[in-house]
Each structure stands twice: as structure tokens, then as C-alpha cells.
Amino acid sequence: METIKNHFFMDTRVMLGRSMRHIFRSMDTIITVTIMPIAMMLLFVYVLGGAIQTGTPNYVNYLLPGILLIAVANSVGYVSFRLFTDVQRGIFERFNSMPVARSAALWGHVLTALVSNVMSLTVIVLVALIMGFRSPAGVLSWLAVAGILAMFTLVLTWIAAIAGLSAKTIDGASAIAYPIHFLPLISSAFVPTSSMPSGVRAFAENQPVTAFVEAIRALLSGQPVGNNIWVALSWSIGITVLAYILAMRAYKRRG
Amino acid sequence: MSHNEFAISVQGLKKSYKNVPVLEGVDFQVKAGSIFALLGSNGAGKTTIVKILTTLLKQDSGHATVNGFDVISKPDNVRQSISLTGQFAAVDEILTGRENLIMIARLRHLNHPHEIAAGLLERFGLTDAADRRAATYSGGMRRRLDIAMSLVGNSRVIFLDEPTTGLDPEARMEVWKIIKERAGSGTTVFLTTQYLEEAEQLADKIAILHNGRIIVNGTLAELKQLFPPAKVEYIEKQPSLEDIFLTIINKKTHA
Ligand SMILES: Nc1ncnc2c1ncn2[C@@H]1O[C@H](COP(=O)(O)OP(=O)(O)O)[C@@H](O)[C@H]1O
Ligand SMILES: [Mg+2]
């Protein structure tokens, strides 16, 4: 009787190496993910910023959390795209007919999204610093911010994985990106929710992205974080677990 | 491991997609170390059988064992002892040929993945193209890489789903040569084909899949006996497999 060992970590590392190569060989994806939010930041600060009343003297400080979340949201369309391509090309069938840990292929893509987001978010923060962003936050607060952004990436990439694995067409796979792009816009990312009409405001205040924005904003400005971080965390864990289960189910069906 | 002389054993296999039956009770056995060709026209259900035997798809009823392991209850053991070259070349186009092979060697948890890759590249005449992305390969080169990826790790049974479809005659001859070499070293080869000549060239045993069942199964000589001896023509002509195939199908449909 042969014993079958599970090589989850080793397999995931191979998968991660593979999809990191994909990213570095098509730099346009990572550049788009980095440039777009920077362009938005420039637009909001230097064109629209004068007209927006946030109650803070430094609009870049107000804006940066939302911009970081938008960068993450922009990146997930590519996750769907890469997964969809793997299904189409039969790569997943090959992996699934091999003694490879079941979820390693998906984790490879998800971790790749994390690594590439670390790179583009770092660049965005550096540009913000040049534009006058200042923060009293200490190392712990920055780590907390990194953790929140990582959670946000995990949530969205697992959702994107479902789309990439179950879509019938490439357009279907990418369509998931649109509603995800929209969520940060209808939140307190750019303007305080108090300036919105009541229906929109109710949505904006209770949708998960606002909790993320507020938690990051509080951490970066040295304010007490309050409930937001727990709200953000509960949303993250709840949606990630659900999305993970659905994505694995879609993976087994497609594989 | 069982002492079974059969590498593959299939009994009463049934499979429908939605309510459309594709396999309606398929039975056959493949001797260890032999080349078995499953012949059938497009849509006959060849890929469906391959997917069931390689644990990618579950049958509705019936039994299938590979290397003595049941595909439903021992899928991990089955995966450990097989490799699959699917109907469409499943190579990672963004990686080079060498990287594709190294990746598979790592996923099979083998020692010295670099040496394994170099050896296969050499054997498959891909050394010159080894460090180019697979996207730049011709159809024949891609198929060779695809088959090379299946030979990583010397699995005891290899499945080749229409390995030469879409190849030019020269590339087809190369693939035939590889398959013969492989079987010569004791590996069991299960291949599907629409080309009667391919089965004639390669296989020890040929089974014809038609209307969801195996309608004939035997050596080429046995199959030829099913056919009325030499036609009366200007020159006496041996029946080709094509003649046999058409005769059998006509008998069945007119019966
Ligand atoms: N996922 C699927 N859903 C519905 N029908 C399918 C699916 N896969 C294959 N079929 C149908 O099953 C039949 C057999 O397909 P297949 O096994 O791919 O045949 P072959 O490989 O011999 O060409 C075809 O009629 C095909 O259209
Ligand atoms: Mg087929």
C-alpha cells in the first residue's frame, strides 16, 4: 500500500512561483494596478480636491485609505482572468490528474495577488508621501493597516476566484471587477458620508468598504480605531470563508 | 499494490451529461505494459472515459480501477501512478519549456527537477527551444512538450487523449515514435484516436467505442477476421481498419 503524503505547502510554493512569473512577464497588469489609483489620487487632490470639504486640512491624508482599497479592487479582475485562462488551457486538469494538494493551485493565485499588491501599494504610498501625505502612525499601526489591506485582498481575490472558475466567457470572468470597483466610490473613501443623500448614505455607511476605509484612516491619522476594525474583520472572515468554499466547489467542478 | 495483470479495468461504466447518455455500459481491460487504443468518432465519449479514469470526472455507475485502485474510492493513489496528456495541449504558455518541466517535476515531488527537465528536453528535441516561452512553439513542439510533461516521473500508466490530432504528418510520426519507445520500457499506454491508421500503427489492442458501448475489442488480426476476407477487385486488398469500422457500424445500424 502506497502512502499518499499531502504536500500542501510545497505545492503552493511551486504554484506561487509559477504565477509570480506570469505577473513579472506581463508587467502591464501590475503597472495598470499601480498607475490607475495614482492617477485618481492626482485628479482628486489637484483637480477636485479644492471643492471637497472633508473637515481635514490635508486632503491627501483623507484620500489615501480609499485609494489603497481601490488599488486592491483593481487587481482582482486580473485574478479572475488568470484563473479563467488556466481552466481554458486545461492547466488545472493537468494539476488535478496529478498528486497535487487540492487547493494549492488556487492558493498560488491568491498569494500572488497578495505579493503583487504589496508592491503596488508600496509605490502608491511613496507617491502619496511626495504629494504631502503625512502620518503620525507608528510601526504597530502600519502593521495593522497592512493586515487590513491583506484581509481586503483575500476577500476580493476569493470572490474573484469564483468568477474566474465558473465563468463561461472571458468577459464573464472579468465582469466581477465592475461591482467591486464601484463599492469604494460609494463609501467614505472620497467624501464624508454626511454629504450624501439619505438613501445613498445609509448604503455607504453600512457597506463593508466604509468600515475598511474608516479603520485605515483612523490608524493612519493616529485616532482611536473604535469598532470599525472589528466590523471590517468580521466582514472579511465571513465573506472569505464563504467565498473559499464556493471557489473550491467551482474548482472541483471545473477540474 | 495488487498483483493484477490488468493496469486498467472497466466494468459497466455509465455516464450522462444532464439527461443525455454518453456512456451506456462500457467494459474493457488493458494489460499492463501494453498499448491500448480507444477508437471512436468525434463525440463518441473517448474524452469522457479518459476523464473518469484520470479522476477528473465521476461516473454515474459502474466500476473502474487503474493500477488496482478504484478511481472513486482511491483517487489519490490513482493520481500517484498515472499521467495524463489531455486532448488539448495543457502547457503553460508564459513559462519556457524548461520551466514547464521543472514545475511538473516539483509538483511530483521528485529530486533533481533541473536534471529531469534537461533529460526530457534532450530526448524530445527541445533543447534549442528550452528557454523560449512555450507560446512561441509550433503545434508539434507544444505537443511534444505536453507529452514530455506527462513523462516526468515515469508513471506506470499514461493516458494520451488524441495525441496527434492537429499535427502535421512529420510531427505525428515523432509522437508515434515516442509512444512506442515508452511502451517498450514497460509503461502501459492508453490512447484515444479518431485515426484508424494510428491505432493500426501503435496498438496491441484496439477497442471501438460507438453509441456508448465498446462494439469490438481485440488485436488488429482479430478485428480483421470480423471482416469478410479479401474483396474481389483487380488486386486483392487487405481490409483497412476503416473498412472494418464502417462495416461493423453498418451491420449494427441495419441489424
Ligand atoms: N461537460 C459536458 N456537458 C455536456 N455534454 C458534454 C460535456 N462534455 C462532453 N459532452 C458531450 O458528450 C459527448 C461525448 O464527448 P467526449 O467524451 O468529449 O467525446 P470524444 O472525446 O469522443 O470526442 C459529446 O456529445 C459531447 O458533446
Ligand atoms: Mg475528445
Side-chain angles (χ1 to χ4, degrees):
Chain A
M1 186 73 215
E2 288 160 54
T3 49
I4 305 298
K5 273 186 263 154
N6 192 328
H7 298 269
F8 173 76
F9 290 103
M10 201 202 278
D11 294 347
T12 301
R13 214 179 64 210
V14 177
M15 298 293 187
L16 173 63
R18 159 176 188 259
S19 68
M20 286 309 296
R21 282 205 164 92
H22 282 216
I23 291 210
F24 283 118
R25 284 175 196 179
S26 53
M27 284 304 281
D28 50 319
T29 58
I30 206 163
I31 289 171
T32 313
V33 168
T34 315
I35 297 280
M36 266 269 298
I38 290 177
M40 275 181 96
M41 190 158 64
L42 292 169
L43 177 76
F44 271 85
V45 171
Y46 296 121
V47 181
L48 307 171
I52 298 174
Q53 299 300 316
T54 62
T56 40
N58 185 339
Y59 185 53
V60 189
N61 282 2
Y62 184 86
L63 194 62
L64 185 63
I67 293 290
L68 295 176
L69 293 175
I70 285 199
V72 173
N74 278 349
S75 70
V76 302
Y78 295 106
V79 177
S80 304
F81 171 78
R82 287 193 289 268
L83 282 161
F84 182 78
T85 315
D86 276 357
V87 173
Q88 287 300 302
R89 297 264 156 83
I91 305 274
F92 280 168
E93 276 193 351
R94 165 157 252 145
F95 292 155
N96 280 346
S97 71
M98 290 170 50
V100 173
R102 292 284 83 181
S103 58
L106 294 190
W107 273 109
H109 282 286
V110 171
L111 293 178
T112 299
L114 269 180
V115 176
S116 67
N117 278 347
V118 167
M119 294 188 283
S120 47
L121 295 180
T122 308
V123 174
I124 294 170
V125 170
L126 290 177
V127 172
L129 282 169
I130 297 170
M131 290 171 64
F133 167 75
R134 293 296 175 265
S135 165
V139 175
L140 274 184
S141 299
W142 275 106
L143 282 179
V145 170
I148 293 172
L149 289 169
M151 277 311 296
F152 193 59
T153 304
L154 278 185
V155 176
L156 295 191
T157 44
W158 280 113
I159 294 174
I162 306 173
L165 290 167
S166 31
K168 301 255 185 310
T169 64
I170 190 73
D171 293 329
S174 312
I176 188 74
Y178 301 124
I180 289 178
H181 284 180
F182 241 115
L183 280 181
L185 299 177
I186 314 170
S187 76
S188 63
F190 299 100
V191 295
T193 50
S194 56
S195 64
M196 300 173 184
S198 59
V200 181
R201 179 177 175 178
F203 175 80
E205 286 180 353
N206 292 299
Q207 65 123 323
V209 176
T210 294
F212 283 91
V213 172
E214 293 298 328
I216 297 175
R217 191 174 280 148
L219 285 163
L220 289 183
S221 59
Q223 307 286 318
V225 194
N227 255 345
N228 284 314
I229 196 160
W230 305 117
V231 175
L233 204 62
S234 334
W235 273 105
S236 305
I237 293 172
I239 300 177
T240 304
V241 169
L242 190 68
Y244 176 81
I245 293 168
L246 292 176
M248 282 306 290
R249 191 178 293 172
Y251 178 60
K252 283 179 183 145
R253 203 172 42 236
R254 289 310 285 265
Chain B
M1 188 44 225
S2 80
H3 40 277
N4 219 322
E5 68 167 313
F6 295 114
I8 302 171
S9 177
V10 172
Q11 288 145 23
L13 211 57
K14 292 190 182 175
K15 177 74 191 175
S16 307
Y17 292 109
K18 310 246 156 60
N19 287 319
V20 184
V22 174
L23 306 180
E24 303 184 62
V26 168
D27 305 272
F28 63 85
Q29 289 176 314
V30 178
K31 270 211 185 97
S34 69
I35 304 185
F36 180 89
L38 181 65
L39 196 64
S41 40
N42 202 4
K46 302 181 295 296
T47 298
T48 303
I49 292 180
V50 169
K51 284 190 176 175
I52 291 170
L53 294 177
T54 54
T55 75
L56 295 174
L57 194 68
K58 288 193 170 88
Q59 69 266 36
D60 299 334
S61 64
H63 291 284
T65 59
V66 176
N67 284 319
F69 300 115
D70 188 282
V71 293
I72 299 284
S73 62
K74 292 266 183 266
D76 289 327
N77 297 76
V78 172
R79 288 178 201 128
Q80 196 84 34
S81 60
I82 62 162
S83 70
L84 165 66
T85 302
Q87 184 165 358
F88 306 100
V91 304
D92 187 328
E93 301 198 335
I94 295 172
L95 302 184
T96 66
R98 190 188 304 281
E99 288 167 339
N100 267 292
L101 289 164
I102 293 174
M103 171 177 76
I104 299 297
R106 291 219 167 104
L107 289 174
R108 288 199 176 271
H109 317 112
L110 303 173
N111 296 324
H112 313 299
H114 290 265
E115 286 79 352
I116 292 170
L120 283 164
L121 288 165
E122 174 82 48
R123 244 178 72 201
F124 282 73
L126 291 169
T127 305
D128 289 341
D131 298 307
R132 271 178 20 215
R133 290 192 200 184
T136 67
Y137 287 14
S138 69
M141 289 163 78
R142 209 174 286 212
R143 199 52 168 171
R144 255 148 52 208
L145 175 61
D146 193 33
I147 296 176
M149 285 162 77
S150 309
L151 299 190
V152 170
N154 298 321
S155 306
R156 274 180 286 154
V157 180
I158 63 175
F159 291 87
L160 300 156
D161 195 1
E162 299 197 23
T164 63
T165 300
L167 295 188
D168 57 51
E170 199 186 341
R172 176 170 305 160
M173 301 288 268
E174 280 177 30
V175 170
W176 285 356
K177 199 174 122 229
I178 294 164
I179 294 172
K180 282 179 181 159
E181 273 174 24
R182 196 65 205 173
S185 64
T187 307
T188 309
V189 178
F190 180 103
L191 72 93
T192 75
T193 182
Q194 294 185 44
Y195 303 120
L196 309 147
E197 193 202 344
E198 183 157 287
E200 262 186 89
Q201 282 287 329
L202 292 175
D204 302 314
K205 277 273 184 85
I206 299 166
I208 298 177
L209 179 66
H210 185 67
N211 286 340
R213 287 200 171 78
I214 302 290
I215 51 170
V216 251
N217 186 353
T219 62
L220 184 61
E222 286 166 352
L223 260 59
K224 286 193 170 170
Q225 281 177 3
L226 294 172
F227 192 78
K231 287 195 215 167
V232 186
E233 277 179 21
Y234 285 105
I235 15 171
E236 190 173 293
K237 183 168 162 267
Q238 279 294 308
S240 76
L241 207 45
E242 182 132 26
D243 298 327
I244 299 170
F245 184 61
L246 293 175
T247 313
I248 293 165
I249 287 175
N250 282 336
K251 267 190 206 151
K252 298 259 162 180
T253 36
H254 295 302

